[in-house]
Structures are given as structure tokens and as C-alpha cells.
Amino acid sequence: MATTFSAPATGTPPANGARSPLPFGGVSVRTSPMFARPFFEDKARAFWFLQAAGWSGYLILRTVSSISNGFSMQGVVTNIVETIVGYCITLLLSTLYGYYRGFPRIAGIILTLLTLGAATFLYALLDTFSFSFIKFAAPGIDVKLLIGALFLNFTVLAGWSALYFGINFYLIIEDQIDQMQHLETQASSAQLAMLRYQLNPHFLFNTLNSISTLVLLKQTDRANAMLSRLASFLRYTLINEPTADVTLAQEIETLKLYLEIEKMRFEDRLQPKFDIDPAVENAHLPSLLLQPLVENAIKYAVTPQEEGAEIRITARLAGDRVQIAVSDTGPGLQGTKNRPSLSTGVGIANIRERLAQAYGADHRFEIQAMPLGGFGVEIEIPFQNE
């Protein structure tokens, strides 16, 4: 496996819109509220900013420490030289760390440690020489000063490397979280689309069978009207984005179109009633959410009764919630044991899944027997008009 180390980017923007190398690895970034979102989106800028800020802080800290022991211009110059050398060495380290990304994990770790050791020795050697050059008349390498510098420089470079890898690891984890969320979103959208297209095939079969019967009876006007309404309904179900929301007014118009088709089959046995509060007409909800409930009512309330049944669709505003109910005057739960689901298994279960996908736990879905007989379903969702 390759390591997660990476090389630094240059501060010059690439020409022709090309993307520059990324100092914190070639990954996309999802920032948390701890960081300003634009900060790590431009990883090259983030690298150079942190590099400059970190070494500036180191210079200030070393200078304050020197001044506390007695101000000396030579000491200030020494600290400046030491900071510049450290800044340059860490740029070299970041380049090598990025190069080691192509190596196997164990080899990359070993090379990283060896590089850190070599960089520490080089840093200490240059520090010792620059110190003797500024402080002493005869420049040279003092072994005691070199040993002391080795400890200090190793601490600085090891801390820099730990911070570098820590940020790199953070960005990789954030990228993996981003990818997981993206995959979850895709899966959720695919599931919503699948649920959205789970129209009962019995409806299509029965409608086409009715059209065929009308044609055989030479009732061409009724057959043409039914075929036209079926085409309009199918056009709506196929053209609209399956994961998009519609207003309640649009949903009701689609239901009326669907009921007009069914009413040509059942005639006076099907008695639809609508009671929609104008205050909720602009409320948004998943498209074709109510159609399976109405279809369920037709199957279990209108079809088995000679006199048919009334299907009532109501919607009202309750605070910041929208309450939608679909009820009928059929035999209810007692008359039909397996009433809560269609024969295809996509009725009630379909609605539950779509509500869970769209609103999570922020919804209510209840099935109940009506006081005067019949069956009812009530849905409560947040009022959303955008």
C-alpha cells in the first residue's frame, strides 16, 4: 500500500487552468466548522500559509527567548538564519515525503525516518556552523554545540513532520467521509427513484383492459378520452424528476387526473372528495406520494362493494406542519384482513420508505380505522415551500 505523504505545491498558479500539485495530498476536502471552508479547499495556499505562520511563530519564540537572556543583535541574526534554514529544509522534506507516497508502506516509513534523521543532522550542522560564523572569529564545527543542536533540531523537525502527516491524515479522512456521504446520497437517490417508479401494474393493466373493452363496444369517444388521460398521467410520472418534490397543488391535480381515469371504470361507484386548505397548496412533498394510498382505497373500498365508496383527501396546516389524510368509506380493517398493503407489496411500505428517505424521523405516518367505518391514513410532514 502507498503511504499518504505528498509533495508541496508552488505558490505560482498553473497556466491554462491546470491544477497545481497539492501539498496535502491529491484529495478533495470537506472542512468542518473548526476551519473556514475556503482554507483547505485551496491546499496550496493552506500549505504556504501554515508554513509561513509556523516558522514565523518559531522565529518570534526563539527571539523572545534570546532577548530574555540579554539582547544581542548577533543572537537575533542567528535566530533569523536558523529559521530560514529550517524553512528551506522542511520544504525539501515535504517534497521527499510526497515522493515516498509511491513506495510500499514499510519502505515509505523507513525512508521517512531515515530522511528525518538526515535532515536533522544537516539542520544541526548548518546551525552550528552559522552560529560559530557569527559568534566566533574562527568559524568551525564545535562538537558540543552540534550535539545540543541535534536535540533541538530533531524536536523541531519531528514536530513539523507530525503536524504535516496529521493534516494530511485529516484531509484523507475528510475525503473518505465525503466519498461515503456522496455514495449514501447516490444510494438514497436511487432508492427514491426506485420507490417513485413502483406504480401498481394492476392499474395500467386494468386501464388498458377498459380501453380495449370500450373499443370493442365502439365507444370510441370514451376510449379516446381514457387513453388521453392515461397518456397525460404516464407523461407526468415519467418526465418529472423521480427525486424531486412537487407542491401539494400539483400532487392534487395529478390525483384528480388519476381518479378521472379510474372513474371511467367505476363511474358512480367511485366518489372522490377533496378538502384542501389553500394555506398548504404551496407545501412541497415527494411526487406521487399519495397516489398509492388512493389506489389502495380503490382496490379495497370501491372494488368489493356494489355501491362503491367515497374516497376523501384532506390537507390542512397545523402550526408549521402539514397534515394530509386519505380515507374511505369501505369495509375497513375488519372487512379486509390484509388491507394495509397492496397485492404487489408496494403500497403502505412504499409510502413509509419514501417518507423516511425524504424527512428522516421528522414525519408522522398513521394507519387507523375510521369511526364510522372505513380505512384512513394520516401523514404529517414539515411545511416546506421551497
Side-chain angles (χ1 to χ4, degrees), residues 273-285:
K273 304 290 182 183
F274 290 90
D275 181 12
I276 309 299
D277 184 355
V280 298
E281 287 184 348
N282 291 327
H284 281 228
L285 72 165

Side-chain angles (χ1 to χ4, degrees), residues 311-385:
I311 299 177
R312 179 175 292 273
I313 299 97
T314 63
R316 64 181 183 273
L317 186 64
D320 61 347
R321 315 285 289 179
V322 179
Q323 294 178 343
I324 305 171
V326 178
S327 60
D328 60 60
T329 57
L333 293 172
Q334 299 299 324
T336 310
K337 183 177 180 181
N338 296 323
R339 172 61 188 265
S341 65
L342 294 173
S343 58
T344 56
V346 300
I348 299 300
N350 180 296
I351 303 300
R352 289 188 189 278
E353 287 291 333
R354 294 189 68 192
L355 288 171
Q357 288 287 333
Y359 303 105
D362 191 19
H363 75 277
R364 180 170 60 86
F365 182 83
E366 292 183 358
I367 301 172
Q368 56 188 347
M370 306 305 293
L372 301 179
F375 181 82
V377 174
E378 185 169 324
I379 298 172
E380 184 178 281
I381 57 177
F383 180 83
Q384 298 173 346
N385 59 3

Side-chain angles (χ1 to χ4, degrees), residues 83-288:
T83 302
I84 293 174
V85 172
Y87 182 91
C88 295
I89 288 178
T90 51
L91 288 182
L92 178 61
L93 283 179
S94 63
T95 302
L96 293 174
Y97 290 163
Y99 176 71
Y100 296 155
R101 292 180 63 195
F103 288 78
R105 181 180 295 274
I106 300 300
I109 292 175
I110 293 174
L111 286 173
T112 299
L113 294 176
L114 291 175
T115 300
L116 177 60
T120 300
F121 181 78
L122 176 63
Y123 193 9
L125 195 65
L126 293 175
D127 266 359
T128 304
F129 180 78
S130 63
F131 181 82
S132 65
F133 185 82
I134 295 171
K135 289 283 189 179
F136 307 130
I141 303 298
D142 185 274
V143 176
K144 292 183 178 179
L145 288 177
L146 179 62
I147 294 174
L150 280 173
F151 175 77
L152 175 62
N153 296 148
F154 175 78
T155 303
V156 172
L157 295 183
W160 184 93
S161 299
L163 183 61
Y164 179 87
F165 292 139
I167 294 175
N168 203 17
F169 181 74
Y170 164 79
L171 296 182
I172 291 173
I173 293 298
E174 290 294 294
D175 180 65
Q176 291 176 349
I177 293 174
D178 240 4
Q179 291 177 358
M180 290 179 61
Q181 290 180 340
H182 180 65
L183 292 174
E184 289 174 359
T185 300
Q186 287 184 324
S188 177
S189 298
Q191 186 175 6
L192 281 174
M194 178 191 69
L195 293 171
R196 164 67 165 71
Y197 285 131
Q198 281 184 332
L199 294 176
N200 191 348
H202 289 174
F203 159 69
L204 185 59
F205 171 80
N206 290 334
T207 302
L208 292 175
N209 188 54
S210 297
I211 293 173
S212 176
T213 301
L214 291 173
V215 171
L216 290 174
L217 295 175
K218 297 185 178 180
Q219 298 182 20
T220 54
D221 290 341
R222 293 191 64 196
N224 183 63
M226 197 170 189
L227 189 60
S228 176
R229 290 167 184 170
L230 176 62
S232 298
F233 181 77
L234 292 179
R235 186 182 301 111
Y236 174 87
T237 63
L238 295 175
I239 290 179
N240 283 359
E241 180 68 29
T243 59
D245 290 346
V246 297
T247 64
L248 183 59
Q250 291 173 317
E251 182 77 356
I252 295 302
E253 288 302 314
T254 306
L255 277 182
K256 289 179 178 179
L257 182 62
Y258 168 76
L259 286 168
E260 285 177 1
I261 298 172
E262 293 289 46
K263 193 167 179 61
M264 295 189 73
R265 290 178 52 215
F266 294 99
E267 297 182 339
D268 293 339
R269 293 174 60 202
L270 175 58
Q271 305 156 35
K273 304 290 182 183
F274 290 90
D275 181 12
I276 309 299
D277 184 355
V280 298
E281 287 184 348
N282 291 327
H284 281 228
L285 72 165
S287 63
L288 287 180

Side-chain angles (χ1 to χ4, degrees), residues 6-29 39-48 101:
S6 54
T10 62
T12 304
N16 301 324
R19 299 184 64 182
S20 62
L22 304 181
F24 293 125
V27 296
S28 61
V29 181
F39 185 74
F40 277 118
E41 284 184 340
D42 187 345
K43 289 173 280 293
R45 185 189 67 176
F47 175 83
W48 292 111
R101 292 180 63 195

